[in-house]
């Protein structure tokens, strides 16, 4: 039997083995980087060593965040194959300890089974890079500060169209905002407007100092440097269009879906009853330092959004153009012709 099977000399076996190893190493070296990712339709799910796909929406209360989260994120996750998670902080806080921030950042970044991930919750900005992890894509919405306070004031008294049967904290208290201002009440205190700046300023100690110019400047820097899109409530449709144009993996088809919603779905959590403040009340509130600082931040954010939207629509100002506008760039003079050939 041994005479029937002739094995090659040991030297030839060793040569063949070395040749096989060299071929494997060469193929691995020549494979393009894209080969390390796993594709699922429109979305690219991360694998080990790849940048995580996470959108963080640290939603400010009473800024149409319920409408946006439910009518967009929770309606679109199946169509665009991403996961949605609500972050709920204990006792309605919006700031976290340093240890909790570190744990959250690591948890989200390494939660590969849930990526691509859209996470939302009432929490101040967290700097992922400070903890040694890649930054996610941050988005948000802002509202004119007094309008936000008025909405919250009457929401506590009359509730909204979202959870109709739920009794709110000030149910039965029909005091108007004007009357509250005249008696220097707590619910209408201008300091209650100090919220949008802290949400963007982050977890620094000075962020909670009401009226702090230092916090204002930090919030501006964070908005420009760390956030991809920050829209405004009065321009919600434009915001949705800009997000679809910028992050299609998550928001493909979002504008068309938003346009198809009936009025109740497109305006979730409308406060049932709001009484417009008097001219005197407006004058008193607008004269406070906290309003001036919060309004400066809002105007800054609106100007930044306007500039982004203008470029996205090539100056037309039409939300549809943000999505349909062809790229304003092209590639040329590409050498070598075959990127995988020897140079």
């Amino acid at each position: 039997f041994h005479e029937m099977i002739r094995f090659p000399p040991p030297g030839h076996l060793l040569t063949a083995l070395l040749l096989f190893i060299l071929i494997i190493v060469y193929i691995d070296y020549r494979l393009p980087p894209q080969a390390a990712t796993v594709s699922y339709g429109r979305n690219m799910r991360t694998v080990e060593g790849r940048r995580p796909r996470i959108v963080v929406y640290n939603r400010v209360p009473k800024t149409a965040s319920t409408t946006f989260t439910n009518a967009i994120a929770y309606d679109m996750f199946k169509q665009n194959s991403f996961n949605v998670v609500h972050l709920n902080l204990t006792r309605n806080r919006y700031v976290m300890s340093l240890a909790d921030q570190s744990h959250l950042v690591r948890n989200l970044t390494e939660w590969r089974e849930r990526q691509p991930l859209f996470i939302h919750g009432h929490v101040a900005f967290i700097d992922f890079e400070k903890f040694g992890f890649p930054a996610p894509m941050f988005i948000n919405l802002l509202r004119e500060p007094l309008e936000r306070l008025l909405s919250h004031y009457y929401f506590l008294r009359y509730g909204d169209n979202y959870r109709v049967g739920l009794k709110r904290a000030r149910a039965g208290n029909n005091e108007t905002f004007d009357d509250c201002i005249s008696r220097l009440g707590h619910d209408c205190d201008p300091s209650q407007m100090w919220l949008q700046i802290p949400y963007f300023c982050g977890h620094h100690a000075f962020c909670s100092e009401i009226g702090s110019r230092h916090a204002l400047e930090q919030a501006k820097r964070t908005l420009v440097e760390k956030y991809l899109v920050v829209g405004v409530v009065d321009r919600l449709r434009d915001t949705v269009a800009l997000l679809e144009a910028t992050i299609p993996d998550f928001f493909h088809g979002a504008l068309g879906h938003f346009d198809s919603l009936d009025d109740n779905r497109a305006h979730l959590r409308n406060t049932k009853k709001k009484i417009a403040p008097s001219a005197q009340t407006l004058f008193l509130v607008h004269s406070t330092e906290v309003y001036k600082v919060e309004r400066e931040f809002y105007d800054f954010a609106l100007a930044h959004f306007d500039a982004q939207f203008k470029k996205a629509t090539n100056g037309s100002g039409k939300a549809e153009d943000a999505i349909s506008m062809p790229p304003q760039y092209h590639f040329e003079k590409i050498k070598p012709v075959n990127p995988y050939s020897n140079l």
Side-chain angles (χ1 to χ4, degrees):
F1 179 80
H2 290 290
E3 294 178 356
M4 296 173 63
I5 301 176
R6 297 189 178 184
F7 293 94
H12 290 179
L13 280 174
L14 181 60
T15 301
L17 180 61
L18 288 174
L19 182 59
F20 176 78
I21 293 173
L22 286 173
I23 291 172
I24 294 298
V25 170
Y26 178 80
I27 292 174
D28 183 67
Y29 174 77
R30 299 302 296 176
L31 275 176
Q34 291 88 336
T37 62
V38 181
S39 175
Y40 290 83
R42 293 182 53 80
N43 304 94
M44 298 300 291
R45 294 187 179 273
T46 56
V47 295
E48 197 63 30
R50 290 294 177 182
R51 185 180 181 87
R53 294 289 292 169
I54 303 173
V55 171
V56 177
Y57 175 29
N58 63 317
R59 44 193 283 200
V60 181
K62 306 309 295 180
T63 59
S65 63
T66 300
T67 295
F68 181 85
T69 304
N70 284 274
I72 302 297
Y74 280 106
D75 279 5
M76 303 296 295
F77 78 93
K78 287 185 179 179
Q79 175 181 321
N80 291 330
S81 303
F82 62 88
N83 298 271
V84 187
V85 173
H86 178 217
L87 175 66
N88 192 352
L89 272 63
T90 305
R91 294 195 299 186
N92 292 324
R93 297 168 176 162
Y94 67 90
V95 292
M96 307 175 73
S97 69
L98 194 63
D100 277 353
Q101 291 178 63
S102 176
H103 187 270
L104 176 66
V105 167
R106 183 182 302 276
N107 198 335
L108 290 181
T109 306
E110 296 179 350
W111 199 3
R112 301 291 183 175
E113 302 91 331
R114 285 293 179 182
Q115 293 177 22
L117 171 64
F118 180 99
I119 183 161
H120 65 98
H122 297 311
V123 59
F125 171 78
I126 298 174
D127 190 350
F128 279 54
E129 293 172 305
K130 183 169 67 176
F131 296 95
F133 288 86
M137 293 174 284
F138 278 92
I139 65 171
N140 219 320
L141 281 165
L142 289 175
R143 189 173 187 176
E144 198 283 329
L146 179 54
E147 284 296 319
R148 196 204 65 80
L149 177 58
L150 283 167
S151 180
H152 184 254
Y153 179 88
Y154 284 110
F155 164 75
L156 292 177
R157 284 155 176 77
Y158 300 109
D160 55 29
N161 64 341
Y162 184 60
R163 299 172 70 182
V164 179
L166 185 62
K167 189 175 181 180
R168 298 298 172 180
R170 303 290 190 272
N173 179 347
N174 298 327
E175 183 178 44
T176 67
F177 191 80
D178 287 340
D179 291 339
C180 181
I181 286 289
S182 66
R183 70 173 182 84
L184 304 179
H186 173 73
D187 288 348
C188 59
D189 192 305
S191 65
Q192 300 291 333
M193 284 183 288
W194 189 252
L195 192 65
Q196 297 187 131
I197 287 176
Y199 261 73
F200 281 77
C201 181
H203 287 73
H204 308 292
F206 59 80
C207 296
S208 60
E209 296 173 6
I210 297 173
S212 167
R213 287 272 164 182
H214 191 184
L216 168 64
E217 295 307 318
Q218 179 64 43
K220 287 180 178 179
R221 283 194 298 271
T222 302
L223 185 149
V224 172
E225 297 173 3
K226 305 295 184 179
Y227 281 78
L228 184 63
V229 174
V230 177
V232 294
V233 172
D234 291 341
R235 303 270 299 280
L236 184 54
R237 185 171 184 270
D238 291 346
T239 304
V240 171
L242 189 57
L243 285 169
E244 180 173 350
T246 310
I247 324 176
D249 283 359
F250 287 82
F251 297 104
H252 175 69
L255 182 61
H257 174 72
F258 184 74
D259 286 344
S260 72
L261 299 174
D262 60 36
D263 191 59
N264 286 332
R265 288 277 292 144
H267 298 89
L268 285 173
R269 213 150 221 180
N270 264 345
T271 301
K272 285 184 178 179
K273 181 179 179 180
K274 283 188 287 188
I275 301 171
S278 67
Q280 182 181 4
T281 294
L282 291 175
F283 175 78
L284 291 173
V285 174
H286 290 171
S287 299
T288 62
E289 186 62 24
V290 65
Y291 174 80
K292 292 176 182 177
V293 176
E294 276 278 358
R295 181 58 195 243
E296 182 178 334
F297 178 62
Y298 174 79
D299 289 341
F300 176 85
L302 178 57
H304 184 67
F305 176 78
D306 274 337
Q308 287 183 320
F309 190 72
K310 184 177 181 180
K311 291 177 182 177
T313 61
N314 204 21
S316 75
K318 297 178 180 179
E320 296 83 359
D321 288 348
I323 301 165
S324 62
M325 191 69 62
Q328 302 297 296
Y329 70 89
H330 65 276
F331 299 112
E332 61 183 16
K333 300 179 181 178
I334 302 171
K335 300 294 182 180
V337 176
N338 181 359
Y340 307 120
S341 64
N342 292 324
L343 299 178

